[in-house]
Amino acid sequence: MLEPSIDALQEKINSKYTLVTLSARRARQISETKKILVDNPKSHKYVGMALEEVQADKLYITEE
């Protein structure tokens, strides 16, 4: 099972497209800088780490 779940993530960010775009950009950033905003991520993959940051409210998008 994917952790965090898509349902829990969509409570934070409503659009699946926005969630995918945000996490993909953050995953690329993590791979380049190796700086992670959450302590002890469960995932070893960059996209999983980015999704964990969304779940922990460390990564979010502001609406204009």
Side-chain angles (χ1 to χ4, degrees):
M1 188 97 201
L2 178 66
E3 207 41 57
S5 72
I6 189 71
D7 296 328
L9 291 169
Q10 280 198 291
E11 291 177 8
K12 308 285 182 178
I13 297 178
N14 294 332
S15 169
K16 286 183 185 178
Y17 176 78
T18 304
L19 180 63
V20 168
T21 304
L22 179 67
S23 58
R25 287 181 182 180
R26 178 63 182 139
R28 170 107 14 147
Q29 205 175 46
I30 293 171
S31 72
E32 292 172 355
T33 64
K34 307 295 187 228
K35 293 182 182 178
I36 305 165
L37 300 176
V38 292
D39 296 329
N40 302 321
K42 293 179 185 177
S43 180
H44 299 292
K45 296 183 179 180
Y46 299 125
V47 173
M49 291 178 198
L51 292 173
E52 287 182 39
E53 290 179 350
V54 171
Q55 180 65 31
D57 291 326
K58 302 284 184 175
L59 184 63
Y60 55 90
I61 190 161
T62 56
E63 296 184 24
E64 296 178 22

